[in-house]
Amino acid sequence: TLFGVGSVEGQVQNEERGAGGFGYDAMFVPTGHDRTFAEMSGEEKSSMSHRGAAVTDLARHIQAVVSGTGHAVVDDALPRTDALIMASVHAVTGNDERLRSTILHFVRDIDDARAVHEALLQSYLFAGFPVALESLAIADEECRAILGELQWPDPEPFDVELFVSRGEELCRRVYGSVYDKMMTRLGSITPELRSWMIVEGYGKTLSRPILDVVERELCIVGILAALDRETQLRSHVRGALLVGATVDQLRMCADVVTETCGRGAGEAVLRNILLQEGSLTNDGR
């Protein structure tokens, strides 16, 4: 996916002036001018408008692809959280080409590479080891092509006592007031998964450094929407809000999911945001 970005600063007036343009043009005065967009000619407006700037920026990226020189501008890499959600979704849906493209348009240094590695690593909890292994192999190849030699972090020592402690703490944060009920229910169904959820899932994997808990939860929301796991999606939209994600961040996640998986998957995220917005007011937030 190629992005063109443009913006224009100015002031919104209380009265309309001018007969040209459309929308808010008659009320918007760009900085450094005393006329509204609606009082300018089309050519004059286009020379400074956000749409004109975005098209100019996009054209540079398209030209870079056509000429085979790759990404046109290093400084305008994909936003970190967007890229991590995209990479996670592409991994679990098996879209190797778009996973490679996401890495190419995001990774600029070793910290970026390790963030992608961490996001893909946690995908094994939701989509299995084969998905994680294949996507991590792609990430290793692409990151080495971008950065040259690199060193992935050493594995953390397997400390069950530590994993139980931090796993329970994080799990309580994510599930809030329903934690005790959920764990009782899970224990009655499968004591093994109840234990593994704390130790393996939340203690060993989701409590690791490099990504913060909000980034992790937004990636998980993207994965679950892509896999059409409605029950778990509802829980993790709620969990994302409980650990500090904003509604705007979740809506951004829904936009990414829509772009990568289609309208239905994105609407599933939005639907669950609406369900949770009014239900958390008395849950200790």
Side-chain angles (χ1 to χ4, degrees), residues 10 26 46 248-249:
S46 295
D248 283 344
Q249 285 176 310

Side-chain angles (χ1 to χ4, degrees), residues 19-161:
F22 64 97
Y24 62 83
D25 283 358
M27 301 179 70
F28 183 78
V29 179
T31 298
H33 296 264
D34 56 12
R35 292 177 297 151
T36 68
F37 271 164
E39 293 176 300
M40 299 180 182
S41 68
E43 293 77 11
E44 190 176 6
K45 174 191 168 184
S46 295
S47 70
M48 67 184 78
S49 75
H50 56 294
R51 289 187 179 87
V55 170
T56 299
D57 187 46
L58 180 61
R60 292 187 298 132
H61 295 298
I62 294 174
Q63 181 58 40
V65 172
V66 171
S67 64
T69 57
H71 194 53
V73 182
V74 171
D75 291 338
D76 65 346
L78 284 173
R80 173 181 166 111
T81 306
D82 291 38
L84 297 179
I85 298 169
M86 287 180 184
S88 299
V89 171
H90 294 325
V92 302
T93 55
N95 197 327
D96 295 351
E97 182 180 351
R98 295 191 73 180
L99 174 58
R100 291 181 186 275
S101 177
T102 298
I103 294 169
L104 174 65
H105 288 79
F106 169 62
V107 172
R108 297 293 180 265
D109 56 36
I110 186 61
D111 290 338
D112 293 342
R114 289 179 175 175
V116 169
H117 179 272
E118 197 66 29
L120 297 177
L121 186 64
Q122 75 176 25
S123 69
Y124 89 91
L125 292 173
F126 307 94
F129 272 86
V131 165
L133 286 170
E134 291 171 12
S135 61
L136 286 166
I138 290 172
D140 180 75
E141 179 182 336
E142 293 296 325
C143 289
R144 290 183 189 278
I146 295 167
L147 302 176
E149 289 299 315
L150 56 86
Q151 181 66 47
W152 301 115
D154 291 332
E156 186 177 23
F158 196 92
D159 185 336
V160 174
E161 185 176 346

Side-chain angles (χ1 to χ4, degrees), residues 11-27:
Q11 292 184 330
V12 177
Q13 305 297 303
N14 291 326
E15 60 181 17
E16 297 184 26
R17 301 202 313 262
F22 64 97
Y24 62 83
D25 283 358
M27 301 179 70

Side-chain angles (χ1 to χ4, degrees), residues 59-265:
R60 292 187 298 132
H61 295 298
I62 294 174
Q63 181 58 40
V65 172
V66 171
S67 64
T69 57
H71 194 53
V73 182
V74 171
D75 291 338
D76 65 346
L78 284 173
R80 173 181 166 111
T81 306
D82 291 38
L84 297 179
I85 298 169
M86 287 180 184
S88 299
V89 171
H90 294 325
V92 302
T93 55
N95 197 327
D96 295 351
E97 182 180 351
R98 295 191 73 180
L99 174 58
R100 291 181 186 275
S101 177
T102 298
I103 294 169
L104 174 65
H105 288 79
F106 169 62
V107 172
R108 297 293 180 265
D109 56 36
I110 186 61
D111 290 338
D112 293 342
R114 289 179 175 175
V116 169
H117 179 272
E118 197 66 29
L120 297 177
L121 186 64
Q122 75 176 25
S123 69
Y124 89 91
L125 292 173
F126 307 94
F129 272 86
V131 165
L133 286 170
E134 291 171 12
S135 61
L136 286 166
I138 290 172
D140 180 75
E141 179 182 336
E142 293 296 325
C143 289
R144 290 183 189 278
I146 295 167
L147 302 176
E149 289 299 315
L150 56 86
Q151 181 66 47
W152 301 115
D154 291 332
E156 186 177 23
F158 196 92
D159 185 336
V160 174
E161 185 176 346
L162 173 64
F163 294 161
V164 169
S165 174
R166 71 187 192 186
E168 288 182 344
E169 178 184 0
L170 179 56
C171 199
R172 286 184 181 277
R173 288 182 63 193
V174 170
Y175 287 94
S177 62
V178 304
Y179 171 82
D180 290 327
K181 181 179 179 181
M182 179 200 68
M183 296 305 287
T184 299
R185 171 65 173 159
L186 187 57
S188 69
I189 298 171
T190 168
E192 291 88 353
L193 279 183
R194 182 187 187 281
S195 174
W196 296 349
M197 178 179 174
I198 296 296
V199 176
E200 180 81 9
Y202 285 90
K204 181 172 75 69
T205 306
L206 300 180
S207 293
R208 287 164 56 87
I210 299 181
L211 300 187
D212 64 42
V213 66
V214 170
E215 290 175 323
R216 288 189 182 279
E217 281 296 309
L218 292 173
C219 289
I220 292 168
V221 167
I223 289 172
L224 294 172
L227 296 178
D228 193 23
R229 299 295 186 184
E230 181 69 24
T231 300
Q232 288 79 17
L233 176 61
R234 185 180 307 113
S235 294
H236 281 277
V237 167
R238 184 177 187 276
L241 291 167
L242 284 173
V243 299
T246 65
V247 170
D248 283 344
Q249 285 176 310
L250 279 164
R251 287 176 177 157
M252 174 275 296
C253 181
D255 289 343
V256 172
V257 170
T258 298
E259 180 184 344
T260 53
C261 298
R263 182 175 177 179

